[in-house]
Amino acid sequence: NAGVMQNPRHLVRRRGQEARLRCSPMKGHSHVYWYRQLPEEGLKFMVYLQKENIIDESGMPKERFSAEFPKEGPSILRIQQVVRGDSAAYFCASSSAGTPYEQYFGPGTRLTVT
Amino acid sequence: DAKTTQPTSMDCAEGRAANLPCNHSTISGNEYVYWYRQIHSQGPQYIIHGLKNNETNEMASLIITEDRKSSTLILPHATLRDTAVYYCIVRSAGGNEKLTFGTGTRLTIIP
């Protein structure tokens, strides 16, 4: 029973490039969450998605960041025109529907912007 | 979601029980208490959650006071692998909302 999978595990981008982070939820899970952890800081919620719907994007920066969870395939967190301040660990979590279900986290993608 | 207060850091001897406290004095009746931990830079790991009754699983026990204003996570026989940052999170019964992580307690297990 595979857990939450994220790839790539490490990603290096130059300033101005695009970063695409992928998350495959646990089997049977239809809810995906993205969190960001800046160096030496705590985890901050970014966005919560269900299949083909964004439910809560209150933690997403207003510009350059977008997320999707298509009907088929993994969830994608996309960062356009990356800047040094985007360097962080990005964690994806998934949960099943219902109340109150715990979120299971993936190993994270460490983004470094040079 | 209610705010939680945890000690910044704690030490515990290997093999002893680690007791991690959490205050959540503004918790409302339909809010659950969740515990997660983050080992080094790995993804957070779910440990346990509860509403008002004490809970136990293979990892830990959760003791919630009768007034629900505080709780204690107990790791019965701490090992070096339990060294991590432990987060106490209060979350509504809606169930699928975001987790709001505070600063947590950095637990160090001493050999």
Side-chain angles (χ1 to χ4, degrees):
Chain A
N1 184 16
V4 178
M5 299 176 68
Q6 291 188 248
N7 66 80
R9 296 291 305 277
H10 299 273
L11 182 62
V12 179
R13 285 287 178 265
R14 292 199 179 108
R15 280 177 294 172
Q17 291 185 319
E18 179 180 286
R20 281 184 180 238
L21 289 63
R22 296 175 191 79
C23 169
S24 296
M26 286 179 67
K27 186 176 180 180
H29 284 189
S30 57
H31 301 249
V32 166
Y33 311 78
W34 287 92
Y35 295 82
R36 177 167 68 172
Q37 188 168 33
L38 295 168
E40 305 303 321
E41 294 189 17
L43 291 109
K44 302 292 185 188
F45 167 79
M46 298 181 76
V47 62
Y48 161 36
L49 310 102
Q50 295 178 22
K51 288 283 188 181
E52 300 184 283
N53 284 305
I54 296 175
I55 307 302
D56 180 358
E57 56 181 346
S58 59
M60 286 281 269
K62 292 289 186 279
E63 299 177 347
R64 302 187 297 108
F65 285 72
S66 62
E68 63 177 8
F69 188 18
K71 188 176 180 181
E72 301 291 337
S75 175
I76 306 288
L77 179 67
R78 181 183 179 206
I79 311 172
Q80 295 179 289
Q81 299 176 322
V82 295
V83 301
R84 288 231 171 102
D86 297 332
S87 295
Y90 293 82
F91 293 98
C92 166
S94 73
S95 72
S96 59
T99 303
Y101 281 97
E102 54 270 19
Q103 297 178 17
Y104 293 93
F105 283 78
T109 293
R110 275 144 190 85
L111 172 66
T112 302
V113 179
T114 62
Chain B
D1 290 341
K3 183 177 178 180
T4 61
T5 304
Q6 298 178 251
T8 302
S9 63
M10 292 180 62
D11 293 340
C12 179
E14 188 178 16
R16 304 296 293 269
N19 296 278
L20 292 92
C22 178
N23 286 324
H24 31 79
S25 58
T26 59
I27 193 170
S28 61
N30 67 344
E31 289 181 317
Y32 286 74
V33 180
Y34 283 77
W35 283 83
Y36 281 78
R37 71 181 181 184
Q38 187 175 26
I39 297 172
H40 193 45
S41 299
Q42 299 177 21
Q45 179 186 22
Y46 165 79
I47 301 173
I48 198 167
H49 74 275
L51 182 62
K52 47 186 168 182
N53 297 320
N54 298 337
E55 302 288 344
T56 296
N57 63 20
E58 64 278 4
M59 288 183 67
S61 294
L62 174 60
I63 309 298
I64 303 174
T65 58
E66 193 169 342
D67 63 7
R68 302 209 324 122
K69 293 184 185 301
S70 66
S71 59
T72 300
L73 178 74
I74 301 172
L75 307 178
H77 304 286
T79 70
L80 297 178
R81 288 177 294 181
D82 292 322
T83 292
V85 178
Y86 287 76
Y87 297 97
C88 169
I89 299 168
V90 171
R91 184 174 178 224
S92 72
N96 289 104
E97 288 76 26
K98 62 190 177 188
L99 294 170
T100 300
F101 288 84
T103 53
T105 296
R106 183 173 297 277
L107 175 67
T108 302
I109 306 302
I110 310 295

